[in-house]
Amino acid sequence: MNITSLQTFIAIVETGSLVRASERLNVTQSTVTARLKTLEQDLGQTVLNRQKSGITLTPAGTKLLRYARVMTGLWRQAKLEAGLPAGTHSVCNFGCHRELWYGPGKQFFDLAAERHPDMALSVYQGNGHDLEDWLASGHVDVIMTYEPVARSRQSIHPLPAQELVLYSDQEGARIVGETEYVFVDHGEDYRRWHGEIYFDAGTSRATFDSSLWAIDYLLKNGGSAYLPALIVDQHPARSRLHQVNNAERYRRTAYLVASETAVANWPWFTPFLEELQRNRTHGF
């Protein structure tokens, strides 16, 4: 059994097919099939049921998947530590949701960089699904996200809740629809809440999945949008955006999700986490 076979097995499970796994790994489908066959021969068990409807795990495959993720994560960590830059003794690969960087994400990075100059840091930006996949596959050691998924050998830690506030470029604006409204997609739970609160608001002309892009649009074209107060408060043009009086607010919680395998080697992690849970400021 080798690491490449395990990585291929994980890719098949996560993508749902041998074809998509070959695309992710940038190899031919016949190579993926051969690796899977080798893995099953080494294990002495069939790990996947291959049907027209797709791929499903066998009982043996379900058990193997847990260990495969740990083993590939440890191998990645070993390769990184074996090739660390001069003067560094450990590594932290951090995945951060783009909406969280200008706040707790940057705070986490700054704390690590300032207090542990002997640690190599890598940062990756992604959406919720990207971050979950990267953590599960061992590509990153810890992620900061809004919608964590509980998985084995991962620990989930809530961070201070953040407020989404309705802002307008016009001072004194009161409701959605009074100015050109811009919809910012802050996730499934937010979409449900927004639909209940503004069921009669109609369809906005512009939609973004990035608060920073939405702010740029508002500053250029005018209008109103729900934005994280943390980001607006630190934005260089914050004086041009005004909170809409009496508008409903939405609170969402961010989470730090860590690989327990990585954290076991990080004596600094718990103090960092406690500091993040106490604070919520860091700026542009």
Side-chain angles (χ1 to χ4, degrees):
M1 185 180 300
N2 58 54
I3 293 297
T4 301
S5 295
L6 291 175
Q7 292 169 334
T8 302
F9 168 62
I10 292 171
I12 296 170
V13 173
E14 292 182 347
T15 61
S17 78
L18 275 69
V19 174
R20 288 192 289 272
S22 67
E23 293 171 350
R24 173 188 284 192
L25 298 170
N26 197 30
V27 298
T28 64
Q29 184 178 344
S30 60
T31 298
V32 170
T33 302
R35 290 176 181 176
L36 178 61
K37 183 178 179 180
T38 298
L39 177 64
E40 291 180 328
Q41 289 176 342
D42 289 344
L43 192 64
Q45 297 284 344
T46 300
V47 295
L48 294 172
N49 294 313
R50 282 159 276 181
Q51 303 166 333
K52 290 183 178 180
S53 58
I55 295 291
T56 58
L57 285 163
T58 66
T62 300
K63 293 178 181 178
L64 175 63
L65 181 61
R66 178 178 59 183
Y67 293 104
R69 283 173 168 156
V70 173
M71 292 166 69
T72 55
L74 287 172
W75 173 243
R76 178 194 53 77
Q77 186 80 7
K79 288 198 300 180
L80 286 171
E81 293 192 5
L84 289 175
T88 60
H89 305 290
S90 61
V91 63
C92 172
N93 296 293
F94 175 44
C96 186
H97 192 286
R98 56 179 172 268
E99 298 281 280
L100 287 165
W101 176 250
Y102 292 106
K106 191 170 185 296
Q107 184 181 9
F108 179 91
F109 178 85
D110 287 346
L111 286 172
E114 292 167 5
R115 299 182 187 177
H116 294 275
D118 61 341
M119 182 167 61
L121 292 165
S122 298
V123 183
Y124 303 90
Q125 172 186 286
N127 60 37
H129 293 301
D130 291 336
L131 296 170
E132 292 166 15
D133 289 345
W134 294 342
L135 184 61
S137 66
H139 180 62
V140 297
D141 306 305
V142 59
I143 63 173
M144 194 171 289
T145 183
Y146 287 114
E147 299 174 350
V149 175
R151 296 187 181 183
S152 62
R153 299 197 63 78
Q154 294 179 6
S155 56
I156 299 176
H157 309 277
L159 300 174
Q162 299 177 6
E163 281 195 325
L164 296 177
V165 178
L166 183 59
Y167 287 90
S168 172
D169 68 312
Q170 297 181 18
E171 192 168 6
R174 292 189 297 276
I175 58 173
V176 169
E178 185 167 308
T179 59
E180 186 74 21
Y181 183 62
V182 176
F183 182 76
V184 184
D185 189 348
H186 296 292
E188 183 178 349
D189 289 341
Y190 171 79
R191 291 194 296 271
R192 187 181 302 111
W193 173 86
H194 190 276
E196 293 173 354
I197 298 297
Y198 298 109
F199 60 90
D200 58 348
T203 303
S204 59
R205 192 174 70 176
T207 298
F208 295 91
D209 68 352
S210 165
S211 295
L212 291 173
W213 291 359
I215 290 174
D216 288 343
Y217 179 90
L218 291 183
L219 294 174
K220 180 179 179 180
N221 301 286
S224 61
Y226 269 94
L227 302 166
L230 183 63
I231 290 179
V232 174
D233 289 347
Q234 300 171 61
H235 197 278
R238 57 187 175 275
S239 61
R240 295 173 55 191
L241 296 173
H242 310 281
Q243 293 187 13
V244 176
N245 294 329
N246 301 319
E248 296 281 348
R249 298 188 175 199
Y250 179 81
R251 291 172 61 85
R252 61 178 179 172
T253 300
Y255 299 85
L256 199 67
V257 187
S259 161
E260 292 181 354
T261 303
V263 170
N265 299 314
W266 292 349
W268 52 266
F269 180 77
T270 298
F272 272 31
L273 175 62
E274 292 172 350
E275 189 156 351
L276 285 171
Q277 291 173 329
R278 288 195 302 267
N279 302 301
R280 57 190 304 270
T281 58
H282 247 58
F284 279 71

